[in-house]
């Protein structure tokens, strides 16, 4: 049997290799364009069109290949051009607008000048151009989950197989299901969905659970604001996910599997659905996979975009056609899951790590990262950071290295204020925590959590009370309304925060925020409620002075909260006769003084900040202050 | 039979009986709103029936536990009361306290719990605010008062049980969650006129028959 499986897999590999070789024989340059959602949003469709037109106009033979996202969102649209005839290595271009695309075709593909001002680096070692993999944004990463993302064509199964794809599955079929589970247990991998439960243990429970028709569910209901790792992986390398799912299903003895993905991810749905059909065609899915006796059917279920459906019992309710509301656990889904069948629910990143573990062994995986949190973590780092995007690092790297070395630090010479880790369930950590290693337990100890991997970097211009209010507004809107603490408790937290940001904070508000938060954590039914107050508690703990400034002095130290701030124009800086701000004001609050400078009528001003944007940087005369009384009164000219 | 101790009282209970049920049957009151004996998967949504059990680090909801031999239960510890009082006050902070005009007056579960927890009906320390929801008069046989509703979900359960499918559902999210009717608006096709199970089970008169108004 094992021989037959190997033979079947060898044939698939040979076919894939032949297919890829045929592609590489096509003459001319090969242009790879990052076309995941992030690339498309940044204009990659127009860039692709520009390349197609330019190649046609110039009569150049060449291939245009679409790839997924390489994780460098700050540089989108991203294009890699492999043009061996030029004598240059493959080159990575950033911010390729349609205009740049046409220039690159003219200069590089025809005249042989790679346009050094537009390139980021080379993707191979060479004498001419610095290699991108030497840059800190690349060199300090350790890519297991994202390894092939943005490199291979996600719509071509052969591209994945040619890069070693599905070999983990072939190896898995050489093992007994229990041996696979032991391998996963020995790797020490913990669930990447947030809670960090040991994956091998979960699989083991499901395997031992009594009941027929076990089922495997991929949880791709990613809903944290600012987090998009799962989407990117599904869009950029869906086959790695499928491979992991098949291995999991085989290990636990499931005959069917479901991809639960939110319908707001149309491209991810398209990619994973396409990948399923391709895998079925090659006999990697369906009946007697690779000639073995194992059958598996994978279907795709589109969730309707409720944040709470990422919680596994709510996810199951939603699959059963009910309103997505969490249930009391136990029983856990591994015993009584979908339709009371034993069910394993794993996050996308957990499953994407599985093929590599099978290929390289559990000990290899355990050697990466820290003792209690082995492996790598993928973060989507957004906010006030220079090189935003997806980063995959070994667990244990500290926050400072991640934010300042790998991601280039804070732009515009601003100061770091906080980092919000783990989305609405996570916490805000101050600069005191920059040395904290990133692993499940260290972050939890600081009051935050890895969560699903969203990380928002905040500079000095952010108001922490307002940030906490933002996250509470999110959880309150997304609360399913089932249990008292989450439904009404988070509403009161939000109400108090709202009041504080409007300058109506009262004595005792901060104490009430704290005690109410603690009670909500203790009393709520599900994980959403149990973690919802974390942004309040952590910001209150680490930025109490800001809360106190709001409540006691009616002052917003970061000058963000509208009711607590005012704009005025510094007459020493304002240029006589300049009217830039006047035109920008939507409510005609800006008037001209008698010496033809400008003033703000505080009674009319809605504090939108447009005048500050409009004021030319050489004057920089519009100033925002808090509390509003600090704005000097400027007399209107009397006509 | 399992021997358990609840508040220093020795009880003999059939193994596997629901703990909240066992306490209620032995005249040990634990506040609850969403518990239904016949419902297999407990809702556990009102978060009132907390107890402390020896060997468990934190208070737990008694409706989700079965009796086990040797269990030592306390229903009145400070931690339990703190959770119960907060949950109750949260419920009351969005409840329209107008008992004189409410058909549930004097048989209302909320009044009973308030007496038991020694709390007033108007919460202290929390802003009282009614949601921007309106009384639903659309149903041909029923009226729904969102400002009375505690969202215990009993009505949905009994409706589904009686009629094979629910004609009621939760709608909205967060604080705006409410009970909503769906299905046919054609009164002839609705079983409600004869059924009225939801109005009978509602602990706070949030759903009442139209004839009652």
């Amino acid at each position: 049997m094992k021989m037959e499986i190997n033979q079947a897999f060898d044939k698939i590999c040979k076919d894939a290799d032949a297919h890829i070789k045929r592609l590489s024989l096509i003459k001319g340059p090969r242009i790879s364009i990052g076309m995941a959602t992030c690339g498309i949003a940044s204009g990659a469709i127009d860039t692709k069109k520009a390349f197609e037109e330019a190649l046609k106009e110039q009569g150049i033979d060449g291939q245009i290949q679409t790839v997924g996202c390489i994780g460098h969102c700050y540089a989108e649209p991203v294009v890699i051009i492999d043009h061996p005839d030029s004598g240059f290595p493959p080159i990575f271009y950033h911010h390729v607008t349609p205009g740049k695309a046409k220039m690159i075709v003219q200069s590089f593909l025809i005249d042989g000048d790679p346009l050094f001002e537009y390139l980021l680096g080379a993707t191979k070692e060479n004498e001419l151009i610095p290699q991108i993999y030497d840059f800190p944004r690349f060199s300090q990463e350790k890519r297991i989950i994202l390894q092939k993302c943005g490199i291979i064509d996600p719509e071509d199964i052969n591209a994945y197989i040619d890069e070693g794809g599905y070999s983990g599955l072939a190896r898995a079929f050489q093992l007994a299901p229990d041996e696979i589970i032991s391998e996963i247990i020995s790797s020490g991998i913990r669930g990447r969905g947030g809670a960090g439960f040991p994956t091998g243990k979960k699989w083991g429970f499901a395997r031992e659970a009594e009941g027929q028709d076990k089922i495997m569910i991929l949880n791709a209901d990613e809903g944290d604001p600012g987090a998009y790792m799962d989407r990117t992986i599904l869009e950029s390398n869906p086959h790695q996910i499928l491979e992991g799912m098949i291995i999991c299903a085989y290990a636990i003895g499931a005959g069917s599997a479901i991809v639960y993905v939110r319908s707001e991810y149309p491209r991810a749905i398209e990619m994973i659905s396409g990948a399923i059909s391709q895998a079925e065609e090659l006999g990697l899915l369906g009946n007697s996979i690779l000639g073995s006796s194992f059958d598996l059917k994978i279907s795709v279920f589109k969730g309707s975009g409720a944040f709470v459906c990422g919680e596994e019992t709510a996810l199951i309710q939603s699959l059963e056609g009910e309103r997505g509301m969490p249930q009391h656990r136990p029983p856990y889904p591994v015993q009584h899951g979908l339709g009371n069948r034993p069910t394993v629910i794993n996050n996308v990143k957990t499953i994407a790590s599985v093929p590599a573990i099978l290929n390289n062994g559990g000990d290899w995986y355990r050697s990466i990262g820290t003792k209690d949190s082995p492996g790598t973590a993928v973060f989507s780092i957004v906010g006030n950071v220079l090189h935003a995007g997806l980063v995959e690092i070994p667990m244990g790297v500290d926050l400072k290295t991640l934010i300042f070395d790998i991601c280039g630090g804070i732009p515009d010479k601003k100061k770091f204020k906080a980092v919000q880790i783990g989305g609405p369930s996570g916490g805000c950590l101050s600069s005191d925590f920059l040395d904290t290693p990133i692993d499940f337990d260290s972050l939890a100890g600081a009051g935050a959590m890895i969560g699903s991997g969203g990380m928002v970097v905040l500079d000095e211009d952010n108001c922490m009370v307002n940030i906490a209010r933002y996250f509470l507004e999110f959880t309150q809107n997304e609360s399913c309304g089932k249990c008292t603490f989450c439904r009404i408790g988070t509403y009161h937290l939000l109400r108090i925060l709202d009041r504080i940001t409007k300058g109506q904070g009262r004595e005792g508000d901060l104490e009430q925020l704290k005690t109410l938060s603690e009670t909500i954590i203790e009393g709520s039914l599900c994980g959403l409620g149990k973690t919802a107050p974390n942004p309040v508690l952590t910001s209150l703990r680490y930025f109490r002075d800001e809360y106190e400034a709001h409540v006691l002095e009616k002052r917003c130290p970061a000058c963000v909260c509208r009711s607590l701030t005012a704009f005025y124009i510094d007459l020493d800086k304002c240029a006589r006769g300049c009217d830039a701000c006047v035109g920008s004001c939507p409510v005609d609050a800006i008037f001209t003084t008698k010496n033809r400078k400008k003033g703000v009528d505080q009674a009319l001003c809605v504090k939108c900040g447009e005048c500050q944007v409009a004021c030319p940087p050489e004057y920089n005369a519009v100033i925002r202050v808090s509390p509003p009384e600090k704005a000097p009164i400027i007399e209107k000219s009397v006509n | 039979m399992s021997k358990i101790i609840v508040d220093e009282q020795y009880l003999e209970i059939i193994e596997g009986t629901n703990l909240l049920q066992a306490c209620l049957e032995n005249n040990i009151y634990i506040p609850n709103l969403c518990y239904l004996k016949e419902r297999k998967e407990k809702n556990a949504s009102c978060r009132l029936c907390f107890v402390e059990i020896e060997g468990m680090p934190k208070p737990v909801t008694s409706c989700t536990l079965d009796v086990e031999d040797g269990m030592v239960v306390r229903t009145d510890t400070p931690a339990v009361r703190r959770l119960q009082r907060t949950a109750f006050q949260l419920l009351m902070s969005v409840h329209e306290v107008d008992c004189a005009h409410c058909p549930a007056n004097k048989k209302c579960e909320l009044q009973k719990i308030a007496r038991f927890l020694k709390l007033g009906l108007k919460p202290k320390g929390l802003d009282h605010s009614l949601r921007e929801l309106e009384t639903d008069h659309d149903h041909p046989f029923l009226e729904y008062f969102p400002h009375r509703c505690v969202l215990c979900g009993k009505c949905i359960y009994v409706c589904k049980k009686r009629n094979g499918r629910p004609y009621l559902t939760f709608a909205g999210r967060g604080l705006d969650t409410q009970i909503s009717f769906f299905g046919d608006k054609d009164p002839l096709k609705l079983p409600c006129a004869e059924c009225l199970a939801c109005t009978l089970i509602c602990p706070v008169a949030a759903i009442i028959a139209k004839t009652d108004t």
Side-chain angles (χ1 to χ4, degrees), chain A residues 323 476 478-479 482-484 491-492 499 512 522-523, chain B residues 43 45-47 82 93 125 127 129 172-175:
Chain A
R323 177 184 161 97
Q476 162 59 212
E478 290 294 337
S479 162
K482 182 172 179 177
C483 88
T484 307
Y491 165 74
H492 280 289
R499 226 171 44 212
Q512 192 174 18
E522 203 178 345
Chain B
N43 205 32
S45 70
C46 71
R47 317 309 285 170
R82 189 169 44 84
S93 73
D127 295 345
S129 77
R173 282 189 203 170
L175 194 73

PDB file of all heavy atoms in Angstrom, chain A residues 323 476 478-479 482-484 491-492 499 512 522-523, chain B residues 43 45-47 82 93 125 127 129 172-175:
ATOM      1  N   ARG A 323     -28.696  30.945  14.472  1.00  0.00           N
ATOM      2  CA  ARG A 323     -28.009  32.204  14.721  1.00  0.00           C
ATOM      3  C   ARG A 323     -26.705  31.893  15.465  1.00  0.00           C
ATOM      4  O   ARG A 323     -26.689  31.063  16.373  1.00  0.00           O
ATOM      5  CB  ARG A 323     -28.927  33.062  15.576  1.00  0.00           C
ATOM      6  CG  ARG A 323     -28.379  34.395  16.000  1.00  0.00           C
ATOM      7  CD  ARG A 323     -29.406  35.043  16.923  1.00  0.00           C
ATOM      8  NE  ARG A 323     -28.818  36.093  17.725  1.00  0.00           N
ATOM      9  CZ  ARG A 323     -28.868  37.387  17.427  1.00  0.00           C
ATOM     10  NH1 ARG A 323     -29.478  37.771  16.345  1.00  0.00           N
ATOM     11  NH2 ARG A 323     -28.321  38.295  18.207  1.00  0.00           N
ATOM     12  N   GLN A 476     -19.089  45.626  21.485  1.00  0.00           N
ATOM     13  CA  GLN A 476     -20.504  45.811  21.810  1.00  0.00           C
ATOM     14  C   GLN A 476     -21.362  45.591  20.564  1.00  0.00           C
ATOM     15  O   GLN A 476     -22.367  44.899  20.620  1.00  0.00           O
ATOM     16  CB  GLN A 476     -20.724  47.202  22.418  1.00  0.00           C
ATOM     17  CG  GLN A 476     -22.147  47.714  22.431  1.00  0.00           C
ATOM     18  CD  GLN A 476     -23.147  46.845  23.174  1.00  0.00           C
ATOM     19  OE1 GLN A 476     -24.310  46.781  22.805  1.00  0.00           O
ATOM     20  NE2 GLN A 476     -22.714  46.158  24.213  1.00  0.00           N
ATOM     21  N   GLU A 478     -20.612  43.708  18.105  1.00  0.00           N
ATOM     22  CA  GLU A 478     -20.489  42.324  17.655  1.00  0.00           C
ATOM     23  C   GLU A 478     -20.948  41.317  18.705  1.00  0.00           C
ATOM     24  O   GLU A 478     -20.947  40.119  18.443  1.00  0.00           O
ATOM     25  CB  GLU A 478     -19.037  42.032  17.252  1.00  0.00           C
ATOM     26  CG  GLU A 478     -18.599  42.738  15.972  1.00  0.00           C
ATOM     27  CD  GLU A 478     -19.336  42.236  14.745  1.00  0.00           C
ATOM     28  OE1 GLU A 478     -19.841  41.103  14.757  1.00  0.00           O
ATOM     29  OE2 GLU A 478     -19.429  42.987  13.757  1.00  0.00           O
ATOM     30  N   SER A 479     -21.296  41.792  19.893  1.00  0.00           N
ATOM     31  CA  SER A 479     -21.800  40.871  20.905  1.00  0.00           C
ATOM     32  C   SER A 479     -23.068  40.212  20.373  1.00  0.00           C
ATOM     33  O   SER A 479     -23.916  40.867  19.774  1.00  0.00           O
ATOM     34  CB  SER A 479     -22.121  41.656  22.178  1.00  0.00           C
ATOM     35  OG  SER A 479     -22.974  40.897  23.012  1.00  0.00           O
ATOM     36  N   LYS A 482     -26.400  37.303  23.757  1.00  0.00           N
ATOM     37  CA  LYS A 482     -26.950  36.193  24.527  1.00  0.00           C
ATOM     38  C   LYS A 482     -26.806  36.412  26.030  1.00  0.00           C
ATOM     39  O   LYS A 482     -27.784  36.372  26.763  1.00  0.00           O
ATOM     40  CB  LYS A 482     -26.264  34.885  24.112  1.00  0.00           C
ATOM     41  CG  LYS A 482     -26.830  33.677  24.832  1.00  0.00           C
ATOM     42  CD  LYS A 482     -26.283  32.387  24.259  1.00  0.00           C
ATOM     43  CE  LYS A 482     -26.840  31.193  25.013  1.00  0.00           C
ATOM     44  NZ  LYS A 482     -26.394  29.919  24.452  1.00  0.00           N
ATOM     45  N   CYS A 483     -25.587  36.621  26.490  1.00  0.00           N
ATOM     46  CA  CYS A 483     -25.447  36.657  27.942  1.00  0.00           C
ATOM     47  C   CYS A 483     -25.396  38.077  28.493  1.00  0.00           C
ATOM     48  O   CYS A 483     -24.949  39.013  27.847  1.00  0.00           O
ATOM     49  CB  CYS A 483     -24.266  35.808  28.415  1.00  0.00           C
ATOM     50  SG  CYS A 483     -22.699  36.633  28.483  1.00  0.00           S
ATOM     51  N   THR A 484     -25.884  38.211  29.690  1.00  0.00           N
ATOM     52  CA  THR A 484     -26.099  39.499  30.325  1.00  0.00           C
ATOM     53  C   THR A 484     -24.829  40.345  30.399  1.00  0.00           C
ATOM     54  O   THR A 484     -24.834  41.525  30.066  1.00  0.00           O
ATOM     55  CB  THR A 484     -26.642  39.261  31.751  1.00  0.00           C
ATOM     56  OG1 THR A 484     -27.771  38.408  31.646  1.00  0.00           O
ATOM     57  CG2 THR A 484     -27.021  40.548  32.426  1.00  0.00           C
ATOM     58  N   TYR A 491     -21.833  47.390  27.110  1.00  0.00           N
ATOM     59  CA  TYR A 491     -22.530  48.633  26.759  1.00  0.00           C
ATOM     60  C   TYR A 491     -22.230  49.717  27.799  1.00  0.00           C
ATOM     61  O   TYR A 491     -21.960  50.868  27.449  1.00  0.00           O
ATOM     62  CB  TYR A 491     -24.032  48.369  26.661  1.00  0.00           C
ATOM     63  CG  TYR A 491     -24.875  49.612  26.662  1.00  0.00           C
ATOM     64  CD1 TYR A 491     -24.929  50.427  25.532  1.00  0.00           C
ATOM     65  CD2 TYR A 491     -25.603  49.985  27.789  1.00  0.00           C
ATOM     66  CE1 TYR A 491     -25.697  51.579  25.530  1.00  0.00           C
ATOM     67  CE2 TYR A 491     -26.370  51.131  27.800  1.00  0.00           C
ATOM     68  CZ  TYR A 491     -26.417  51.937  26.676  1.00  0.00           C
ATOM     69  OH  TYR A 491     -27.166  53.073  26.677  1.00  0.00           O
ATOM     70  N   HIS A 492     -22.244  49.328  29.059  1.00  0.00           N
ATOM     71  CA  HIS A 492     -21.962  50.332  30.096  1.00  0.00           C
ATOM     72  C   HIS A 492     -20.505  50.780  30.045  1.00  0.00           C
ATOM     73  O   HIS A 492     -20.212  51.959  30.251  1.00  0.00           O
ATOM     74  CB  HIS A 492     -22.324  49.790  31.479  1.00  0.00           C
ATOM     75  CG  HIS A 492     -23.790  49.883  31.756  1.00  0.00           C
ATOM     76  ND1 HIS A 492     -24.438  51.067  31.978  1.00  0.00           N
ATOM     77  CD2 HIS A 492     -24.751  48.927  31.802  1.00  0.00           C
ATOM     78  CE1 HIS A 492     -25.737  50.858  32.166  1.00  0.00           C
ATOM     79  NE2 HIS A 492     -25.945  49.549  32.062  1.00  0.00           N
ATOM     80  N   ARG A 499     -18.404  58.875  27.543  1.00  0.00           N
ATOM     81  CA  ARG A 499     -18.558  60.065  28.372  1.00  0.00           C
ATOM     82  C   ARG A 499     -17.196  60.700  28.660  1.00  0.00           C
ATOM     83  O   ARG A 499     -17.029  61.906  28.562  1.00  0.00           O
ATOM     84  CB  ARG A 499     -19.204  59.629  29.684  1.00  0.00           C
ATOM     85  CG  ARG A 499     -20.309  60.508  30.123  1.00  0.00           C
ATOM     86  CD  ARG A 499     -21.055  59.934  31.285  1.00  0.00           C
ATOM     87  NE  ARG A 499     -20.215  59.371  32.309  1.00  0.00           N
ATOM     88  CZ  ARG A 499     -20.569  58.344  33.059  1.00  0.00           C
ATOM     89  NH1 ARG A 499     -21.739  57.756  32.881  1.00  0.00           N
ATOM     90  NH2 ARG A 499     -19.757  57.889  33.980  1.00  0.00           N
ATOM     91  N   GLN A 512     -15.112  52.326  38.476  1.00  0.00           N
ATOM     92  CA  GLN A 512     -16.218  51.523  37.946  1.00  0.00           C
ATOM     93  C   GLN A 512     -15.789  50.769  36.686  1.00  0.00           C
ATOM     94  O   GLN A 512     -16.152  49.608  36.490  1.00  0.00           O
ATOM     95  CB  GLN A 512     -17.428  52.405  37.649  1.00  0.00           C
ATOM     96  CG  GLN A 512     -18.649  51.541  37.390  1.00  0.00           C
ATOM     97  CD  GLN A 512     -19.927  52.331  37.227  1.00  0.00           C
ATOM     98  OE1 GLN A 512     -19.903  53.524  36.979  1.00  0.00           O
ATOM     99  NE2 GLN A 512     -21.048  51.659  37.380  1.00  0.00           N
ATOM    100  N   GLU A 522     -15.197  37.677  34.541  1.00  0.00           N
ATOM    101  CA  GLU A 522     -15.518  36.517  35.370  1.00  0.00           C
ATOM    102  C   GLU A 522     -16.864  35.905  35.002  1.00  0.00           C
ATOM    103  O   GLU A 522     -17.043  34.693  35.033  1.00  0.00           O
ATOM    104  CB  GLU A 522     -15.532  36.943  36.849  1.00  0.00           C
ATOM    105  CG  GLU A 522     -15.297  35.810  37.799  1.00  0.00           C
ATOM    106  CD  GLU A 522     -15.274  36.286  39.247  1.00  0.00           C
ATOM    107  OE1 GLU A 522     -15.150  37.504  39.483  1.00  0.00           O
ATOM    108  OE2 GLU A 522     -15.388  35.429  40.122  1.00  0.00           O
ATOM    109  N   GLY A 523     -17.822  36.741  34.627  1.00  0.00           N
ATOM    110  CA  GLY A 523     -19.182  36.250  34.506  1.00  0.00           C
ATOM    111  C   GLY A 523     -19.644  35.868  33.114  1.00  0.00           C
ATOM    112  O   GLY A 523     -20.659  35.199  32.968  1.00  0.00           O
TER     113      GLY A 523
ATOM    114  N   ASN B  43     -29.201  26.972  28.363  1.00  0.00           N
ATOM    115  CA  ASN B  43     -28.902  28.235  27.704  1.00  0.00           C
ATOM    116  C   ASN B  43     -27.745  28.964  28.386  1.00  0.00           C
ATOM    117  O   ASN B  43     -26.867  29.500  27.729  1.00  0.00           O
ATOM    118  CB  ASN B  43     -30.178  29.086  27.735  1.00  0.00           C
ATOM    119  CG  ASN B  43     -30.204  30.091  26.628  1.00  0.00           C
ATOM    120  OD1 ASN B  43     -29.665  29.835  25.557  1.00  0.00           O
ATOM    121  ND2 ASN B  43     -30.806  31.230  26.860  1.00  0.00           N
ATOM    122  N   SER B  45     -27.495  31.761  29.812  1.00  0.00           N
ATOM    123  CA  SER B  45     -27.288  33.119  29.315  1.00  0.00           C
ATOM    124  C   SER B  45     -27.576  34.206  30.349  1.00  0.00           C
ATOM    125  O   SER B  45     -27.043  35.291  30.245  1.00  0.00           O
ATOM    126  CB  SER B  45     -28.144  33.362  28.072  1.00  0.00           C
ATOM    127  OG  SER B  45     -29.508  33.433  28.430  1.00  0.00           O
ATOM    128  N   CYS B  46     -28.422  33.932  31.364  1.00  0.00           N
ATOM    129  CA  CYS B  46     -28.775  35.030  32.274  1.00  0.00           C
ATOM    130  C   CYS B  46     -27.657  35.309  33.273  1.00  0.00           C
ATOM    131  O   CYS B  46     -27.569  36.401  33.810  1.00  0.00           O
ATOM    132  CB  CYS B  46     -30.091  34.758  32.970  1.00  0.00           C
ATOM    133  SG  CYS B  46     -30.021  33.446  34.205  1.00  0.00           S
ATOM    134  N   ARG B  47     -26.792  34.342  33.502  1.00  0.00           N
ATOM    135  CA  ARG B  47     -25.616  34.490  34.372  1.00  0.00           C
ATOM    136  C   ARG B  47     -26.001  34.886  35.798  1.00  0.00           C
ATOM    137  O   ARG B  47     -25.371  35.767  36.405  1.00  0.00           O
ATOM    138  CB  ARG B  47     -24.595  35.495  33.801  1.00  0.00           C
ATOM    139  CG  ARG B  47     -24.311  35.399  32.315  1.00  0.00           C
ATOM    140  CD  ARG B  47     -23.954  34.033  31.826  1.00  0.00           C
ATOM    141  NE  ARG B  47     -22.614  33.593  32.147  1.00  0.00           N
ATOM    142  CZ  ARG B  47     -22.204  32.346  31.968  1.00  0.00           C
ATOM    143  NH1 ARG B  47     -23.028  31.438  31.499  1.00  0.00           N
ATOM    144  NH2 ARG B  47     -20.984  31.982  32.269  1.00  0.00           N
ATOM    145  N   ARG B  82     -21.618  38.850  44.402  1.00  0.00           N
ATOM    146  CA  ARG B  82     -21.122  39.981  43.610  1.00  0.00           C
ATOM    147  C   ARG B  82     -21.511  39.782  42.138  1.00  0.00           C
ATOM    148  O   ARG B  82     -22.009  40.692  41.479  1.00  0.00           O
ATOM    149  CB  ARG B  82     -19.602  40.084  43.759  1.00  0.00           C
ATOM    150  CG  ARG B  82     -19.001  41.335  43.154  1.00  0.00           C
ATOM    151  CD  ARG B  82     -17.523  41.497  43.567  1.00  0.00           C
ATOM    152  NE  ARG B  82     -16.789  40.229  43.463  1.00  0.00           N
ATOM    153  CZ  ARG B  82     -16.260  39.787  42.332  1.00  0.00           C
ATOM    154  NH1 ARG B  82     -16.362  40.491  41.240  1.00  0.00           N
ATOM    155  NH2 ARG B  82     -15.611  38.630  42.290  1.00  0.00           N
ATOM    156  N   SER B  93     -30.641  47.814  34.451  1.00  0.00           N
ATOM    157  CA  SER B  93     -30.212  49.112  33.916  1.00  0.00           C
ATOM    158  C   SER B  93     -30.799  49.376  32.531  1.00  0.00           C
ATOM    159  O   SER B  93     -30.770  50.495  32.047  1.00  0.00           O
ATOM    160  CB  SER B  93     -28.677  49.192  33.860  1.00  0.00           C
ATOM    161  OG  SER B  93     -28.185  48.377  32.822  1.00  0.00           O
ATOM    162  N   GLY B 125     -25.579  53.212  40.733  1.00  0.00           N
ATOM    163  CA  GLY B 125     -24.234  53.299  40.177  1.00  0.00           C
ATOM    164  C   GLY B 125     -24.170  53.123  38.679  1.00  0.00           C
ATOM    165  O   GLY B 125     -23.185  53.483  38.057  1.00  0.00           O
ATOM    166  N   ASP B 127     -25.848  53.914  34.869  1.00  0.00           N
ATOM    167  CA  ASP B 127     -26.832  54.773  34.202  1.00  0.00           C
ATOM    168  C   ASP B 127     -28.007  53.913  33.771  1.00  0.00           C
ATOM    169  O   ASP B 127     -27.824  52.815  33.263  1.00  0.00           O
ATOM    170  CB  ASP B 127     -26.223  55.409  32.945  1.00  0.00           C
ATOM    171  CG  ASP B 127     -25.089  56.345  33.304  1.00  0.00           C
ATOM    172  OD1 ASP B 127     -24.999  56.695  34.485  1.00  0.00           O
ATOM    173  OD2 ASP B 127     -24.309  56.695  32.404  1.00  0.00           O
ATOM    174  N   SER B 129     -30.675  53.302  31.108  1.00  0.00           N
ATOM    175  CA  SER B 129     -30.936  53.791  29.761  1.00  0.00           C
ATOM    176  C   SER B 129     -31.731  52.769  28.985  1.00  0.00           C
ATOM    177  O   SER B 129     -31.404  51.585  28.967  1.00  0.00           O
ATOM    178  CB  SER B 129     -29.628  54.099  29.045  1.00  0.00           C
ATOM    179  OG  SER B 129     -29.026  52.926  28.614  1.00  0.00           O
ATOM    180  N   GLY B 172     -30.967  41.273  15.743  1.00  0.00           N
ATOM    181  CA  GLY B 172     -30.088  42.366  16.152  1.00  0.00           C
ATOM    182  C   GLY B 172     -28.878  41.854  16.909  1.00  0.00           C
ATOM    183  O   GLY B 172     -28.769  40.661  17.209  1.00  0.00           O
ATOM    184  N   ARG B 173     -27.963  42.764  17.195  1.00  0.00           N
ATOM    185  CA  ARG B 173     -26.746  42.373  17.903  1.00  0.00           C
ATOM    186  C   ARG B 173     -26.492  43.321  19.054  1.00  0.00           C
ATOM    187  O   ARG B 173     -27.054  44.408  19.109  1.00  0.00           O
ATOM    188  CB  ARG B 173     -25.538  42.456  16.966  1.00  0.00           C
ATOM    189  CG  ARG B 173     -25.441  41.302  16.014  1.00  0.00           C
ATOM    190  CD  ARG B 173     -24.109  41.378  15.301  1.00  0.00           C
ATOM    191  NE  ARG B 173     -24.158  40.665  14.035  1.00  0.00           N
ATOM    192  CZ  ARG B 173     -23.228  40.723  13.123  1.00  0.00           C
ATOM    193  NH1 ARG B 173     -22.157  41.462  13.311  1.00  0.00           N
ATOM    194  NH2 ARG B 173     -23.328  40.056  12.004  1.00  0.00           N
ATOM    195  N   GLY B 174     -25.609  42.912  19.932  1.00  0.00           N
ATOM    196  CA  GLY B 174     -25.208  43.760  21.047  1.00  0.00           C
ATOM    197  C   GLY B 174     -26.409  44.139  21.880  1.00  0.00           C
ATOM    198  O   GLY B 174     -27.336  43.343  22.075  1.00  0.00           O
ATOM    199  N   LEU B 175     -26.412  45.384  22.338  1.00  0.00           N
ATOM    200  CA  LEU B 175     -27.504  45.826  23.197  1.00  0.00           C
ATOM    201  C   LEU B 175     -28.845  45.829  22.467  1.00  0.00           C
ATOM    202  O   LEU B 175     -29.890  45.748  23.082  1.00  0.00           O
ATOM    203  CB  LEU B 175     -27.191  47.229  23.731  1.00  0.00           C
ATOM    204  CG  LEU B 175     -28.081  47.656  24.882  1.00  0.00           C
ATOM    205  CD1 LEU B 175     -27.697  46.914  26.138  1.00  0.00           C
ATOM    206  CD2 LEU B 175     -28.000  49.142  25.100  1.00  0.00           C
TER     207      LEU B 175
END
